[in-house]
Amino acid sequence: MDRRNPECHPLFTLEEVLSWQQNEDKLCVARIPKRQRKPQDKPKLLVCHDFKGGYLEDRLVQGCGRPNAYRFYHWHLVDTFVYFSHYFVTIPPPAWTNAGHRHGVTVLGTVITEWNDGKARCEEFLKTEDSYKQFADQLVQISKYYGFDGWLINIENKIETEELVRNLTGFMEYLTKEQHKHVQGSQIIWYDSVLNTGELDWQNALNDKNRQFFDGCDGIFLNYCWKDEHLESSRVTAVEAKRPFDVYVGIDRVWRGCLAKMREKKQNLSVAIFAPGWVMEKHEVENFTQNENKFWHLLQDLCYPCTYTTLPISTTFCQGFGERFFDNGVLPRFPRPVPSEKNRVFVEKKNCFGEKILKSSKRLLFSIPVVKGWNQTNQAPVEEETEPVMDISTDDAFIGGTCLRLEADVVHSNFIKYSLFSLDVDLKQYTSVYVSVTYKILQDPDCDIFLELHLQHDDQSIVLVLLPFPDGDKPVPTYGKDKACMYVHALSTASLPKLLNLSSPQPNNTRWKTKMFPVYSLYLKFCKLTLVKVGLTTTDPQPKKCIALLGDLKIIPGDALPEVFPCAECISVKTDTATSYPLIDVAKNSFKPDEDGTQKHPNSFEWGVDAYGNPINIPYNELDKMRVSCHTLREFRPGIGGQLCEVLYQLITSLDCFTLHWKADNPDIIDHYRVYQIKIDSGVAKLLGHVTEPYFKVTWFEIPDYEKDELTHHFKFVIRPVLKNGIAVPLDYNYCKLFHVASKKEVASLVKDSGTDMPEGEKEDVDSNDTGNIVKEGQICDGENCEAINSDKEGKTEKTHSAGNIENLTQQLHISDE
């Protein structure tokens, strides 16, 4: 378990809020901008997340080791997401904000005051105009710094005097004005609680007693004990204010009967769902996906799926969880749980990567309501087991921990189709568009997939059928006179634009195929893209069980391709020497100490296993000495160099964690980064994590060529940018710069070398076509310039290779299953 993972936390007191300063926790900042959606004049959906009090696994910025942590994947149905807890000022962990923003969702934190403690805080920050403005200004700066979009204000205590009530009204108006001024598209929502008299009396409606707070902000979240007449009066009042969809009717999970009543009595009001994590909290974790889909199916009458109007579309279909993490279809040599960007959380699960992988690999821009037995249009579930299934695969993926799994009985010329995305993209805004799909056929080899792009030109419907197989190889769908149809075949790599060519995934033995198709200029000039489907086909006239996996889908405008790939340059490495504290079991973990101010804990913690699979127990009072959590623990075996568990324990307590810091020459086009460690002795690389920040706290890594008495150990890390259109920068040393770190106890330094080690046996394979030079031993290259190298202080000579060679680094970074 990672003992050094950066954490997000709330602010507990007014003093903490007023003294808060930025730049103290850069790893907790969300960087993904909010995607634009098509405006809809319809009721909205707000989700208020309160899962076991919040700040559980999701507080860990770079991931946790639980493969089944809570996740959320119905983002396309949600307009606003509130991260809720009962701490004073709740700051959403960045994985939630990043995941929400990928889908165009507004993400809010929470300010809550309760009981006598809350009453005292309100009296303090509302005592004067200057005091409430100071508090509001800090809230605005906090949301701006951490990258989220505003606040839910939940005052659940009495406000004693008329002056304090006036100041509370002024606070709401000032906070809303300043939030809109500093954060585009932001919101301030008021919770139905305090009245204009200062009394705490939940109204379950919008009325004259709480309207002054509604008038001063962007919406009101109604309490849950409403009746039909409450909804009717609220609708009338909201219409009078010309804000019919700014009243959010509270639905508290399902046990107050709100859901059934709301579905029965439609009042054309918006909806706020509180604590949907109840599905996992109160039911079996193993059946979470099935239960979650059932729950959201009950909400379908209250949901209005969003529509996106721009490209790119880029998704790996990863929901942010899984037992293992795949990188370009390749499984790490020693599988470990997948990180979770929390898809939310983020859409990727946490381990040693950030929940920033999904959502970080987290390129999940569109979540799909995958339900066993959904029909071709995804409009209604069906009961027959023989119907097509669109679900998630948790044991195989292309990027991340999960992908999309399609299963159906397919017959020759009887095509099974699944709707993926509903869009409203005017293609004339682009000069060229390319579609990329990565898929795998598990069963049967006679089966294959195809894609359909449904276009609209005035009253004319047009379908582009994208075929990854040759003409005549498989049956293809046909259309009548009502729809024009064109068949498009995959382009060869050589026919692609240069940057798409260079960044195309390298073939390997995982059976994943990547195909890329053009959308021709004729359709770009006149048409709108309205729907994307995937279909299954087979050559067999008898029913065949076809199983296909979709691992990646991109619709990329050529205009989104940069002229050159961004380059990430190393800046520094900072050693972390602060005292570390263990991640206590979630069930026992709490921010609140015991009454005497101490935190109870067991005498020891289980930390990994030895070579025989036996638990290693570390005394609690020794945990603050731990400098690193090391994956090599499972790889060492007794008898190899005498490196037993005791030696390993000495090693991990003598090394420091460190934070890598880099910069990119064009950060605006970068979505996130992937961080790899390269073993100096073999050149094999392991993916450590995904981050949106240009920082990465290295807490899991391999110790190359470990010698018990050696004072300095060397590590090399590769930083690989991934663009906003989903394209990963090619594995070329011109772009994926190296950190070479020399680490001693409590000291780490950045070695300013310009090359990297090449494994023996690969030195002769360097291709001179890219740079025009074959690098010889004894030279180091930076771009086109080579110079002789010197031995280091230990007398070891660096062996390097061409900075321009893509293929060699690709081979190093692809870890063999063998």
Side-chain angles (χ1 to χ4, degrees):
M1 184 176 289
D2 182 358
R3 309 295 184 183
R4 304 287 297 185
N5 201 326
E7 296 187 17
C8 292
H9 57 81
L11 300 177
F12 303 100
T13 65
L14 180 60
E15 291 73 21
E16 280 190 77
V17 177
L18 297 179
S19 62
W20 174 88
Q21 295 181 341
Q22 62 182 18
N23 296 325
E24 294 184 356
D25 48 2
K26 295 180 180 179
L27 291 170
C28 296
V29 174
R31 294 293 186 187
I32 303 298
K34 186 166 62 174
R35 185 182 180 94
Q36 295 300 310
R37 292 179 167 186
K38 182 179 181 179
Q40 298 188 82
D41 189 24
K42 297 178 181 178
K44 295 172 284 188
L45 179 64
L46 179 151
V47 167
C48 191
H49 171 76
D50 181 18
F51 184 68
K52 298 183 179 180
Y55 292 104
L56 303 178
E57 296 94 339
D58 53 1
R59 78 180 190 275
L60 302 173
V61 179
Q62 293 183 187
C64 74
R66 286 191 59 190
N68 57 356
Y70 176 74
R71 64 192 185 277
F72 181 77
Y73 52 91
H74 289 88
W75 294 104
H76 63 301
L77 303 176
V78 176
D79 298 282
T80 303
F81 178 89
V82 179
Y83 192 78
F84 182 89
S85 79
H86 287 273
Y87 304 112
F88 179 39
V89 173
T90 298
I91 299 171
W96 285 106
T97 303
N98 285 329
H101 282 183
R102 289 185 189 282
H103 299 80
V105 174
T106 299
V107 179
L108 308 182
T110 305
V111 177
I112 185 171
T113 62
E114 300 175 288
W115 318 119
N116 290 333
D117 180 62
K119 178 181 173 182
R121 286 180 183 167
C122 288
E123 290 176 352
E124 182 67 19
F125 77 79
L126 293 174
K127 60 184 177 183
T128 66
E129 180 178 348
D130 288 342
S131 63
Y132 75 66
K133 286 185 175 181
Q134 182 186 13
F135 180 55
D137 288 339
Q138 284 292 87
L139 293 179
V140 171
Q141 291 305 311
I142 288 170
S143 69
K144 182 179 179 181
Y145 175 73
Y146 289 107
F148 60 97
D149 307 302
W151 301 94
L152 169 67
I153 305 300
N154 186 3
I155 307 297
E156 296 202 67
N157 49 259
K158 185 177 181 180
I159 305 298
E160 288 288 356
T161 68
E162 292 183 5
E163 181 181 4
L164 292 178
V165 173
R166 285 195 300 271
N167 286 344
L168 179 57
T169 304
F171 165 74
M172 290 297 297
E173 294 172 351
Y174 179 79
L175 175 62
T176 303
K177 181 189 72 173
E178 291 299 304
Q179 189 75 49
H180 292 174
K181 177 180 176 181
H182 291 278
V183 180
Q184 184 178 6
S186 58
Q187 290 182 1
I188 301 296
I189 305 292
W190 172 261
Y191 181 68
D192 164 29
S193 50
V194 171
L195 308 183
N196 53 9
T197 61
E199 293 296 321
L200 178 62
D201 187 6
W202 299 269
Q203 297 297 288
N204 307 295
L206 172 64
N207 56 31
D208 292 340
K209 295 181 179 180
N210 56 25
R211 179 169 173 175
Q212 68 186 50
F213 302 110
F214 172 77
D215 290 341
C217 67
D218 299 302
I220 185 170
F221 184 147
L222 300 186
N223 191 48
Y224 315 100
C225 299
W226 43 264
K227 298 179 181 178
D228 295 345
E229 54 267 28
H230 291 122
L231 300 189
E232 174 60 27
S233 63
S234 297
R235 186 188 64 79
V236 171
T237 304
V239 169
E240 289 176 353
K242 298 181 180 180
R243 298 170 58 188
F245 304 133
D246 290 343
V247 176
Y248 296 85
V249 180
I251 295 179
D252 186 357
R253 309 167 190 176
V254 293
W255 46 33
R256 299 196 201 203
C258 302
L259 179 56
K261 290 191 294 182
M262 187 66 184
R263 294 178 65 198
E264 179 183 355
K265 301 290 184 180
K266 288 188 176 181
Q267 294 291 346
N268 211 32
L269 298 172
S270 295
V271 174
I273 301 174
F274 183 75
W278 164 87
V279 175
M280 176 178 281
E281 189 172 347
K282 298 299 181 181
H283 297 275
E284 303 82 1
V285 174
E286 304 78 34
N287 298 325
F288 170 70
T289 300
Q290 180 181 359
N291 292 335
E292 179 79 345
N293 288 331
K294 288 180 179 179
F295 175 71
W296 280 88
H297 177 60
L298 295 175
L299 296 170
Q300 64 178 345
D301 294 340
L302 307 176
C303 299
Y304 298 90
C306 68
T307 301
Y308 297 98
T309 59
T310 59
L311 302 179
I313 291 173
S314 178
T315 175
T316 62
F317 303 101
C318 180
Q319 290 188 2
F321 78 109
E323 296 293 337
R324 301 169 294 181
F325 190 88
F326 294 83
D327 184 23
N328 286 342
V330 178
L331 185 65
R333 183 184 302 169
F334 293 92
R336 40 177 110 80
V338 64
S340 168
E341 203 167 50
K342 239 169 174 143
N343 335 45
R344 31 201 153 344
V345 168
F346 325 166
V347 199
E348 263 192 79
K349 199 168 201 121
K350 304 187 147 207
N351 171 36
C352 52
F353 311 67
E355 188 164 32
K356 288 175 180 31
I357 209 181
L358 75 328
K359 264 165 327 184
S360 201
S361 146
K362 246 232 41 301
R363 287 226 36 97
L364 179 61
L365 289 181
F366 299 84
S367 63
I368 296 177
V370 287
V371 177
K372 185 173 183 180
W374 280 71
N375 66 11
Q376 293 184 17
T377 59
N378 286 351
Q379 296 301 313
V382 291
E383 300 298 332
E384 295 81 359
E385 288 294 324
T386 58
E387 290 294 326
V389 173
M390 181 167 68
D391 207 340
I392 53 173
S393 169
T394 59
D395 57 4
D396 198 355
F398 186 66
I399 296 290
T402 61
C403 67
L404 199 61
R405 183 177 187 272
L406 310 176
E407 179 180 344
D409 291 331
V410 185
V411 182
H412 183 279
S413 299
N414 184 13
F415 307 102
I416 303 299
K417 300 179 185 180
Y418 305 81
S419 295
L420 297 180
F421 310 123
S422 177
L423 304 165
D424 186 16
V425 178
D426 194 341
L427 295 178
K428 69 181 180 182
Q429 60 188 301
Y430 307 110
T431 58
S432 62
V433 172
Y434 296 89
V435 179
S436 171
V437 62
T438 299
Y439 70 101
K440 177 190 289 190
I441 302 297
L442 297 183
Q443 183 182 333
D444 173 281
D446 292 331
C447 298
D448 215 319
I449 72 161
F450 59 89
L451 295 177
E452 288 185 351
L453 303 187
H454 289 243
L455 309 179
Q456 192 71 32
H457 173 56
D458 295 333
D459 296 330
Q460 176 67 53
S461 297
I462 304 167
V463 180
L464 298 185
V465 183
L466 311 184
L467 303 176
F469 42 82
D471 273 331
D473 187 64
K474 300 285 191 307
V476 297
T478 58
Y479 292 86
K481 295 180 180 180
D482 59 327
K483 288 188 179 180
C485 180
M486 178 177 178
Y487 300 97
V488 182
H489 291 89
L491 292 172
S492 66
T493 303
S495 302
L496 293 172
K498 181 179 179 181
L499 294 189
L500 289 180
N501 186 332
L502 293 176
S503 60
S504 296
Q506 299 296 315
N508 53 38
N509 61 356
T510 62
R511 295 166 56 197
W512 286 100
K513 302 176 184 178
T514 297
K515 302 291 183 179
M516 191 162 288
F517 307 86
V519 177
Y520 292 104
S521 58
L522 174 65
Y523 301 109
L524 296 177
K525 188 175 182 180
F526 296 106
C527 297
K528 283 189 174 184
L529 174 61
T530 60
L531 185 64
V532 180
K533 291 185 177 183
V534 61
L536 302 176
T537 181
T538 182
T539 58
D540 201 311
Q542 300 299 320
K544 302 282 291 189
K545 176 68 71 176
C546 182
I547 302 176
L549 302 181
L550 284 188
D552 185 80
L553 178 65
K554 299 182 181 72
I555 305 179
I556 307 170
D559 314 63
L561 294 173
E563 294 183 2
V564 296
F565 283 118
C567 180
E569 296 285 353
C570 314
I571 294 180
S572 66
V573 55
K574 181 180 179 182
T575 306
D576 186 353
T577 59
T579 300
S580 62
Y581 295 94
L583 174 63
I584 303 173
D585 183 83
V586 171
K588 303 175 183 177
N589 189 37
S590 173
F591 285 107
K592 297 179 180 179
D594 296 336
E595 292 182 359
D596 59 0
T598 61
Q599 176 71 56
K600 291 183 178 180
H601 54 76
N603 293 327
S604 64
F605 282 87
E606 184 177 308
W607 187 86
V609 295
D610 62 19
Y612 299 102
N614 300 316
I616 299 175
N617 293 308
I618 305 298
Y620 180 84
N621 57 9
E622 295 292 327
L623 286 172
D624 63 343
K625 299 178 182 178
M626 295 185 66
R627 300 296 186 187
V628 64
S629 298
C630 173
H631 273 308
T632 54
L633 187 63
R634 297 182 182 179
E635 300 177 24
F636 282 93
R637 297 293 183 268
I640 301 178
Q643 293 159 341
L644 302 176
C645 293
E646 291 184 4
V647 178
L648 285 174
Y649 179 68
Q650 293 173 9
L651 175 65
I652 63 175
T653 58
S654 66
L655 290 175
D656 285 294
C657 298
F658 37 82
T659 299
L660 303 178
H661 181 198
W662 61 90
K663 66 178 180 179
D665 55 10
N666 194 354
D668 292 339
I669 67 173
I670 295 174
D671 181 85
H672 63 274
Y673 305 86
R674 297 177 188 166
V675 183
Y676 300 82
Q677 184 198 357
I678 294 181
K679 284 183 62 178
I680 290 179
D681 57 346
S682 70
V684 175
K686 289 193 174 182
L687 180 62
L688 295 185
H690 293 201
V691 287
T692 55
E693 289 290 290
Y695 303 92
F696 185 73
K697 191 169 185 179
V698 180
T699 58
W700 297 82
F701 54 92
E702 260 189 299
I703 293 97
D705 302 327
Y706 168 67
E707 297 293 341
K708 179 179 178 181
D709 298 325
E710 191 170 333
L711 297 179
T712 303
H713 292 86
H714 293 264
F715 311 88
K716 289 198 174 183
F717 302 93
V718 169
I719 308 301
R720 184 186 192 188
V722 178
L723 309 189
K724 290 181 179 178
N725 56 20
I727 293 176
V729 168
L731 294 173
D732 183 326
Y733 289 129
N734 281 320
Y735 310 108
C736 301
K737 296 299 183 180
L738 284 167
F739 281 87
H740 182 179
V741 178
S743 179
K744 298 181 180 180
K745 185 175 182 179
E746 299 185 355
V747 176
S749 60
L750 182 64
V751 180
K752 297 289 185 178
D753 63 346
S754 56
T756 184
D757 294 323
M758 179 192 297
E760 293 289 349
E762 289 190 10
K763 181 171 59 180
E764 301 300 328
D765 296 331
V766 176
D767 185 357
S768 63
N769 292 334
D770 291 317
T771 62
N773 295 296
I774 297 179
V775 182
K776 300 178 181 179
E777 185 173 358
Q779 289 184 332
I780 198 167
C781 277
D782 184 8
E784 299 178 353
N785 301 318
C786 296
E787 61 184 12
I789 62 172
N790 299 317
S791 300
D792 59 20
K793 293 182 180 180
E794 281 95 2
K796 299 176 181 177
T797 302
E798 295 274 354
K799 289 171 287 185
T800 63
H801 62 87
S802 168
N805 190 322
I806 299 172
E807 185 176 356
N808 272 331
L809 181 55
T810 301
Q811 292 172 354
Q812 292 183 40
L813 295 184
H814 279 190
I815 306 151
S816 171
D817 286 327
E818 300 174 359

